[in-house]
Amino acid sequence: AQSVAQPEDQVNVAEGNPLTVKCTYSVSGNPYLFWYVQYPNRGLQFLLKYITGDNLVKGSYGFEAEFNKSQTSFHLKKPSALVSDSALYFCAVSGEGTYKYIFGTGTRLKVLA
Amino acid sequence: DVKVTQSSRYLVKRTGEKVFLECVQDMDHENMFWYRQDPGLGLRLIYFSYDVKMKEKGDIPEGYSVSREKKERFSLILESASTNQTSMYLCASGGSGNTIYFGEGSWLTVV
C-alpha cells in the first residue's frame, strides 16, 4: 500500500536561513512524488514533482526537492527562506500507473522575521 | 493556466439536507478527484473518476456519492448532511503520473 509520512507538524526557520521540510514515502514500483503548498483559506498549489531523471528537482518560488531512493525520501528545500513562504506544505505520492494520490498530513512552515 | 473551479466557497447547511458541491475543470483532464481536508488528518480521498460516468471509491466514501455526466464537471453529493461532514472539500483534476490541480476549496459547515 502507498503511504506518505511528514514527520514534523511544524518547522520554524529564521528568514534568510535555509529550510527543509521532510517527506518519506512507501510505494510499490517507481514513485511519482509531488510537493504542494497551501496558503490560508486557499486550495493547494503545485510546487514541483519527481517522475524520473535527475534526483534534484527545481520548482516554483525557488523551492527544490531531492529524491533519495535508498532512503525513500523526498525532502523539500529552499536555500534562503522568506516570511512569505510561511504556509502549509503537503507531500504526495502516486504509484506508477495508478490514478490515486496519497497525501501526507502536512507540515506548517513558519518563517520568522 | 489550468483552472479548477469550485462554485461554492462557503456553505452552511442543516443536518439532513442534501448538499451538492460542484467542480468544473477546463483542461480536458480524464481524472477528477474529491478530497476532504481536516486538521491533523491531511487530505483524504472521497471519490475519484477516470472518465465520464466512471467512478471509484476512495478511502472515505461513506455518506457521499458523486456524479460525472460531462468530462469537465464532477459533483460531490451529500445525501443527508451530518455534523461530522463539516470540513473543507477540495476538488482536483489531472492524470496518472501527471500533476493534479486543485480548486480553491469549499468550506462546508453542517449545523
Side-chain angles (χ1 to χ4, degrees):
Chain A
Q2 297 169 204
S3 66
V4 175
Q6 293 182 242
E8 302 153 319
D9 290 336
Q10 181 158 319
V11 170
N12 295 330
V13 64
E15 188 175 29
N17 282 4
L19 69 87
T20 299
V21 182
K22 295 179 181 176
C23 172
T24 58
Y25 67 89
S26 173
V27 68
S28 303
N30 295 320
Y32 295 166
L33 295 156
F34 305 83
W35 276 102
Y36 287 82
V37 60
Q38 186 180 37
Y39 297 100
N41 300 320
R42 304 293 298 276
L44 276 67
Q45 296 178 34
F46 169 72
L47 276 180
L48 51 80
K49 67 180 176 185
Y50 173 84
I51 303 294
T52 187
D54 194 346
N55 289 344
L56 185 64
V57 179
K58 293 191 184 297
S60 305
Y61 311 123
F63 283 94
E64 57 190 28
E66 186 165 13
F67 170 63
N68 187 317
K69 189 172 183 178
S70 62
Q71 296 187 3
T72 62
S73 67
F74 189 57
H75 300 332
L76 182 70
K77 301 182 181 189
K78 188 173 182 182
S80 178
L82 299 172
V83 171
S84 57
D85 293 330
S86 298
L88 188 57
Y89 290 80
F90 288 96
C91 180
V93 66
S94 167
E96 188 175 10
T98 75
Y99 295 106
K100 289 178 70 173
Y101 297 75
I102 303 298
F103 285 82
T105 51
T107 299
R108 189 164 300 280
L109 174 67
K110 215 173 221 185
V111 181
L112 307 166
Chain B
D1 277 357
V2 175
K3 195 152 179 66
V4 179
T5 303
Q6 294 183 235
S7 52
S8 302
R9 290 296 320 276
Y10 301 96
L11 305 95
V12 180
K13 298 291 181 180
R14 296 196 179 277
T15 301
E17 273 193 80
K18 191 168 186 176
V19 181
F20 291 88
L21 298 179
E22 305 286 342
C23 176
V24 176
Q25 52 100 357
D26 67 355
M27 281 301 292
D28 202 37
H29 285 150
E30 281 76 25
N31 305 315
M32 296 188 75
F33 309 82
W34 275 106
Y35 289 88
R36 88 175 255 178
Q37 182 180 6
D38 299 288
L41 297 177
L43 275 72
R44 293 179 291 167
L45 182 63
I46 305 172
Y47 267 98
F48 70 101
S49 169
Y50 50 91
D51 203 349
V52 175
K53 297 191 186 293
M54 306 302 287
K55 61 186 180 185
E56 280 199 29
K57 292 180 179 179
D59 301 315
I60 52 163
E62 297 78 18
Y64 304 94
S65 62
V66 289
S67 171
R68 194 159 179 207
E69 296 296 319
K70 292 184 178 182
K71 192 173 187 179
E72 67 270 18
R73 188 180 297 271
F74 191 37
S75 303
L76 180 69
I77 303 155
L78 287 67
E79 295 288 343
S80 177
S82 63
T83 54
N84 63 12
Q85 292 178 310
T86 291
S87 188
M88 162 90 134
Y89 290 88
L90 289 161
C91 176
S93 76
S96 178
N98 295 320
T99 307
I100 62 173
Y101 296 91
F102 285 85
E104 288 293 294
S106 297
W107 284 99
L108 172 65
T109 301
V110 183
V111 297

